[in-house]
Amino acid sequence: IPSIIGPKGATLKQVRDQTGVKIDIPRKDSLGANGHANGGSHEPSREATPLPNAGDEEEEPTVPVTITGAEPLAVEAQALLQAIIAAKTSRTTQRVKNIPAHILPFILPRRAKFLEAAEGADVTLSLNRHDDGGEIVVNGDRDAVGRVIESIKSAVEYFTGNVTSLKMTLPKRQHRLLMGKGAEEVMTKSQCAVVVQKIEEPGDEVTVWGRAQDLANGVTAVMEKANSAYIHEFPLPGPIAVSRQLLTYMTRIGYPKTLSEENPGVQVYTPPQAIIDRSQVLNVDILGDKPAVDSAVRQLSQLVGKLFGATKDVSIDWL
């Protein structure tokens, strides 16, 4: 309906002016639950029922549009409206939802393969991640989108039925090396996915997913990656109230980034808020080659030495 009406009614006015017919579209409040008019037609308003999101390919309600005028002109107006509708509905958006977190790493590298199913049509793919996995959104030519969606679903079904898991434990500080690019490197090297618990969650469990014949290589790749960098846990001096003050100050001035930039190859991680709120000891993790890490540790120690005893909390009335 919005496509037919156009901005401020401009499209509908153009069709009317060109053909001289009368076009009636029911108002939103005159439509029943099934989308049909409850009685009477009205001139269209800017509050006309919008087309529902085609993302889930649910059955769309239909809206009766009435064209009144001389038959040749009415037929011409109908053809113009149908052309507008065809242009609008030639594209669609569909989703493959609820892809498990351990299946996503097997699916994402197949992007090019999925696009092949579009057979050259205009199609875009995007990923929405969430804690338990994610969904892939496909937008573009309606027929091509359908083929791409089927290709993705087929891949998800295949890997869901053909991968198994092996659990192992590694120190929490090494989990950082198995996330993001680290996990991608493990997948490239072994065709296995590695899933770690969130940093703020207790436990040291790491899960390796893959086909049975690939799991041994997956475990080897995980161990190599987990030991690929020197990791130093720098404990902030306490009591905990002081540790939090120091961490807050360093975070506010962007010191982790400064420390990384001044020591190339070093990565600096501060604890997430969930750990800050409940922990009695706060650590700053510094990763990289040992000489560079040692240099960063010395630099951080100097800053903490200057700040220790020089910070305090100040209560401020928010008004």
Side-chain angles (χ1 to χ4, degrees), residues 6 17 24 97 136 146 162 181 200-201 210 218 283 291:
D17 292 347
D24 292 322
K97 299 181 178 180
I136 297 177
N162 285 274
K181 289 185 178 179
E200 62 267 25
E201 292 180 350
N283 294 322

Side-chain angles (χ1 to χ4, degrees), residues 124-156:
T124 59
L125 276 68
S126 59
L127 172 68
N128 294 329
R129 289 185 180 272
H130 50 72
D131 290 343
D132 298 326
E135 67 174 11
I136 297 177
V137 183
V138 186
N139 174 265
D141 178 81
R142 181 176 293 273
D143 292 338
V145 165
R147 294 192 296 271
V148 173
I149 286 289
E150 287 306 313
S151 177
I152 297 172
K153 286 182 176 179
S154 177
V156 171

Side-chain angles (χ1 to χ4, degrees), residues 303-315:
L303 176 68
V304 171
K306 294 177 181 178
L307 292 179
F308 191 74
T311 62
K312 66 177 180 179
D313 289 326
V314 179
S315 297

Side-chain angles (χ1 to χ4, degrees), residues 263-286:
N263 297 274
V266 164
Q267 300 175 58
V268 181
Y269 296 96
T270 55
Q273 190 61 47
I275 289 181
I276 295 173
D277 292 338
R278 70 167 186 262
S279 179
Q280 293 302 308
V281 177
L282 299 179
N283 294 322
V284 176
D285 292 343
I286 305 176

